[in-house]
Amino acid sequence: MAYSEKIQSRSIDPAALEMLARAEELGIETAWDRYEAMLPQCGFGELGVCCRNCNMGPCRISPFEEEGPKKGICGATADIIVARNLLRMIAAGAAAHSDHGRDIAHTLLLTAEGKGGGYEIKDEAKLKALAAEYGIETEGRSKEEIALDLARAVYAEFGKQEGPIQFTRRAPQKRLALWQSLGIDPRGIDREIVEIMHRTHIGVDNDPVNLILQGLKASIADGWGGSMIATELSDVLFGTPKPIKSEANLGVLKEDQVNIIVHGHEPTLSEMIVAAAQDPEMLALAEKYGAKGINVAGICCTGNEVLMRHGIPPAGNFLQQELAITTGAVEAMVVDVQCVFPALGTVAGCFHTKLISTSPKAKFPGATHIEFHEERAYEIAKEIVRTAVENYRFRKPGQVRIPKEKSECMVGFSVEAIVSALGGTLDPLLEAVKSGAIKGIAGVVGCNNPKIQHDYGHIHMLKELIKQDVLVVTTGCNAIAAAKAGLLLPEAADLAGEGLKGVCKALGIPPVLHMGSCVDISRILVACAAIANALGVDISDLPVAGAAPEWMSEKAVSIGAYVVSSGIFTVLGTVPPVLGGPEVTKLLTDGAEGVVGAKFAVEPDPFKAAQLIVNHIAEKRAALGI
Ligand code: BF8
Ligand code: SF4
């Protein structure tokens, strides 16, 4: 199908293009339209040089040589303002991930107390392994007793006033020593985030370097704290992912079934929706209304959570949330927290679709609020599913357009699953890296952003990396892009270089390994620590790199900060709002190397960005003598 140039320029995904054309036909506004209406975007904002931290302002620093103010009213320079703004982005991102982790800890606590409305402990082995890390007795105790102590211990990590948090001890010794020498081995997660808010208040920390160090510290509390807690405790409650097959893209929606989309981040809700959609009572109700079944699909990271544990198909990534509703085939879009457009209610209003908000923390215009509480989880999930099923009769068949596109995918490569695919140890992977069959490993992650053609940055970077024998691990919206493009299949190894292809074929694994949602980037950290320990080096010595080709969220800023703090070179595909601060920019893209052993690069072209990664990997290999 030929689309207008405007539509073509928005996405490389045929299903997205079909729905973008449909949205235009129906006069439905999407994020792309709003982006175009926003142009040109504020130059001060792009450079990061506007400050609203006090009411003497707002202040903005002129980027031009001669004209305009060079200091805020308090005297803050561009670098001070840029650093403070960046820190506040890190604080928000770390808070989002960590609050998600806290909610999972809360659910584990309720489950251990017998108050979890339908949850159970699915991975007892992981529960015991985590208990051992925390020094909790496991001998002769029930899993609930152990879980109670573990949940309390983990809960305490958030407000811990002094001393380090437990999971940071998983970092290699050299990394830990470096963090300690820099004063960035974080204390309690909440404490580090609060300290950012304090230090960025007017008249507190006005040294860009000192500020950035606190940003790194809080980000480590996210990656090796809040996010890692979310991942580990989700595995305990819902099971550690194992390879499983599914399908991805808008074509997973079904014309003759009730379609429920779960969108957002926390698996506590989506797990229960998946269970309630299989309840015989709900299935009978669906039949009564003439539907052939109940089809649950995902968007964004909660989609990744149920994809890797249950094979629930993702309908799309971040920029497809409005497009999914535009199919006219969605009975309910059920949302919790993070990355949910406030525009969804308007799109849903054009169809019969019910937008259902569930978190007391997140209400949306045009949404029906059915508040989710873990104590009555299954009951509430059934109520939500019932609402969707009862809405099926209001679907207007003439309005339904479901694109055909969907691709098969193989997902669920937790560290445990990777080790098991390797035959029980990391050795075969290390051997493949040493022999050069695999040149290195790249974590390619993150969002969509209308500043970049939808999925263009993701897919081209992935293809380019595997072609050059770089094994890729992926999470978040990149993972969904990869799934849609067929890159998460063992057969995709045919697109890889000879070395990587051979390894993938021998092991029956895809060249791009799906490791989960964005909090699951913590799995990548754990894998890097294990590889570094096996080689007796620091993470910064490894032939590894990170990339976020289409990032947009504050969570991504925190992720970038903790990945670099962990010693991993990271390439960003969209420009962070720091260029107005020359000192800060130089620190992040150059000086950081001498401090934490890694730095950022910014490269919007995915081919050039992949080359930066390949070059970096070659340098690290040379330094290791392999
Ligand atoms: O946490 S990749 S758009 S969905 S922020 Fe959001 Fe970005 Fe997607 Fe998941 Ni991550
Ligand atoms: Fe302006 Fe300083 Fe107030 Fe920021 S903190 S708004 S730079 S006076």
Side-chain angles (χ1 to χ4, degrees):
M1 171 111 190
Y3 300 109
S4 68
E5 211 171 296
K6 181 175 96 177
I7 299 284
Q8 271 311 342
S9 70
R10 291 176 170 184
S11 178
I12 62 161
D13 173 352
L17 290 174
E18 186 178 337
M19 281 302 105
L20 279 163
R22 176 74 176 147
E24 190 172 58
E25 184 188 331
L26 296 175
I28 293 171
E29 180 192 273
T30 64
W32 286 271
D33 299 311
R34 294 186 293 273
Y35 170 65
E36 281 157 22
M38 198 59 70
L39 295 175
Q41 287 178 295
C42 170
F44 296 109
E46 278 178 339
L47 294 172
V49 290
C50 51
C51 180
R52 288 191 299 107
N53 290 12
C54 89
N55 205 31
M56 291 192 286
C59 300
R60 78 257 179 280
I61 306 301
S62 168
F64 305 107
E65 278 284 296
E66 269 139 47
E67 309 151 45
K70 295 285 173 267
K71 281 181 182 160
I73 295 163
C74 66
T77 60
D79 275 304
I80 292 170
I81 292 174
V82 163
R84 289 195 305 213
N85 289 344
L86 184 69
L87 247 64
R88 286 190 170 205
M89 291 183 89
I90 292 174
H97 281 148
S98 299
D99 220 27
H100 166 170
R102 185 194 330 257
D103 281 351
I104 307 290
H106 178 65
T107 308
L108 183 66
L109 186 69
L110 291 173
T111 307
E113 289 172 343
K115 294 184 205 149
Y119 299 104
E120 47 185 312
I121 291 156
K122 294 238 175 83
D123 190 340
E124 201 172 339
K126 185 162 247 192
L127 171 74
K128 287 192 173 154
L130 296 176
E133 261 183 281
Y134 273 92
I136 294 164
E137 187 56 63
T138 54
E139 267 313 296
R141 303 181 76 201
S142 73
K143 55 183 182 179
E144 286 73 22
E145 284 171 324
I146 301 168
L148 189 62
D149 284 353
L150 179 65
R152 284 187 180 140
V154 169
Y155 239 177
E157 301 282 38
F158 292 89
K160 194 169 183 191
Q161 295 308 312
E162 291 300 338
I165 49 181
Q166 187 60 39
F167 288 153
T168 49
R169 306 303 93 177
R170 292 175 167 187
Q173 259 316 317
K174 280 188 186 164
R175 184 69 8 198
L176 213 46
L178 178 65
W179 288 344
Q180 282 159 351
S181 72
L182 292 168
I184 60 171
D185 183 12
R187 304 156 296 181
I189 299 153
D190 294 350
R191 177 161 193 188
E192 301 306 350
I193 295 167
V194 165
E195 192 166 315
I196 284 187
M197 297 315 283
H198 176 194
R199 281 164 69 164
T200 56
H201 184 277
I202 181 180
V204 186
D205 196 355
N206 288 286
D207 179 293
V209 175
N210 205 40
L211 280 161
I212 297 291
L213 283 171
Q214 176 59 21
L216 300 186
K217 193 174 182 181
S219 77
I220 296 168
D222 171 359
W224 297 83
S227 284
M228 208 170 271
I229 288 169
T231 295
E232 296 289 26
L233 298 192
S234 292
D235 284 356
V236 169
L237 279 167
F238 311 123
T240 302
K242 296 193 207 57
I244 183 171
K245 283 204 157 184
S246 187
E247 295 177 324
N249 215 341
L250 292 167
V252 305
L253 297 174
K254 300 223 163 95
E255 199 147 346
D256 53 2
Q257 297 197 17
V258 173
N259 290 306
I260 301 177
I261 292 190
V262 288
H263 172 21
H265 282 78
E266 296 183 357
T268 36
L269 169 70
S270 51
E271 280 279 331
M272 282 296 162
I273 299 282
V274 169
Q278 290 156 9
D279 192 300
E281 190 191 333
M282 293 299 114
L283 290 168
L285 191 67
E287 207 184 320
K288 186 181 137 194
Y289 288 114
K292 295 233 168 74
I294 304 173
N295 179 40
V296 182
I299 295 258
C300 286
C301 281
T302 210
N304 276 314
E305 299 276 356
V306 285
L307 167 65
M308 65 184 170
R309 295 201 178 88
H310 302 285
I312 295 294
N317 47 9
F318 175 67
L319 271 180
Q320 282 172 291
Q321 52 187 294
E322 292 169 299
L323 305 182
I325 298 178
T326 307
T327 61
V330 177
E331 274 54 58
M333 183 173 271
V334 186
V335 305
D336 56 13
V337 290
Q338 301 166 21
C339 304
V340 177
F341 282 163
L344 288 184
T346 310
V347 188
C350 301
F351 300 92
H352 73 304
T353 307
K354 272 198 192 312
L355 174 67
I356 303 177
S357 57
T358 58
S359 168
K361 295 173 199 165
K363 296 196 173 181
F364 296 86
T368 306
H369 191 69
I370 304 181
E371 199 156 294
F372 188 73
H373 294 282
E374 288 81 353
E375 295 89 333
R376 296 192 298 116
Y378 191 65
E379 195 188 321
I380 298 167
K382 260 175 88 173
E383 188 190 336
I384 293 170
V385 171
R386 180 177 293 111
T387 307
V389 171
E390 287 179 342
N391 197 26
Y392 183 70
R393 65 196 140 138
F394 299 115
R395 190 193 284 184
K396 297 188 188 70
Q399 270 194 337
V400 173
R401 293 289 157 82
I402 304 175
K404 288 200 176 44
E405 278 77 19
K406 56 179 175 179
S407 293
E408 288 197 339
C409 54
M410 187 195 267
V411 302
F413 288 92
S414 56
V415 176
E416 292 82 348
I418 293 174
V419 170
S420 145
L422 293 170
T425 79
L426 281 175
D427 294 349
L429 177 66
L430 298 180
E431 284 315 312
V433 172
K434 282 186 198 157
S435 77
I438 293 178
K439 294 265 171 359
I441 305 172
V444 187
V445 305
C447 324
N448 298 131
N449 186 327
K451 288 178 177 172
I452 291 190
Q453 190 180 23
H454 170 236
D455 287 354
Y456 175 91
H458 289 314
I459 299 307
H460 289 301
M461 174 172 287
L462 293 175
K463 287 189 174 165
E464 198 56 32
L465 287 171
I466 62 173
K467 200 162 90 187
Q468 302 204 44
D469 292 315
V470 176
L471 175 69
V472 177
V473 290
T474 175
T475 64
C477 288
N478 178 277
I480 299 173
K484 292 187 294 169
L487 296 175
L488 301 186
L489 286 170
E491 300 83 67
D494 291 331
L495 302 172
E498 286 308 312
L500 176 59
K501 184 164 144 186
V503 175
C504 291
K505 296 268 173 187
L507 295 169
I509 57 168
V512 181
L513 299 176
H514 177 282
M515 292 191 83
S517 61
C518 290
V519 290
D520 292 332
I521 294 171
S522 65
R523 297 188 200 273
I524 303 177
L525 296 178
V526 168
C528 286
I531 296 170
N533 285 337
L535 296 174
V537 297
D538 193 357
I539 296 175
S540 53
D541 300 318
L542 299 177
V544 301
E550 302 180 25
W551 77 275
M552 63 85 206
S553 75
E554 289 170 316
K555 289 183 287 175
V557 180
S558 177
I559 292 168
Y562 73 64
V563 169
V564 166
S565 303
S566 300
I568 302 171
F569 170 63
T570 297
V571 187
L572 304 174
T574 64
V575 185
V578 300
L579 298 188
E583 193 188 331
V584 172
T585 304
K586 193 154 190 313
L587 178 62
L588 298 175
T589 57
D590 182 17
E593 179 90 59
V595 184
V596 290
K599 62 184 180 184
F600 286 99
V602 179
E603 179 49 69
D605 179 330
F607 298 96
K608 289 186 191 156
Q611 204 49 51
L612 290 177
I613 289 178
V614 169
N615 296 346
H616 170 80
I617 283 174
E619 277 169 30
K620 291 292 172 185
R621 293 185 66 89
L624 281 173
I626 56 174

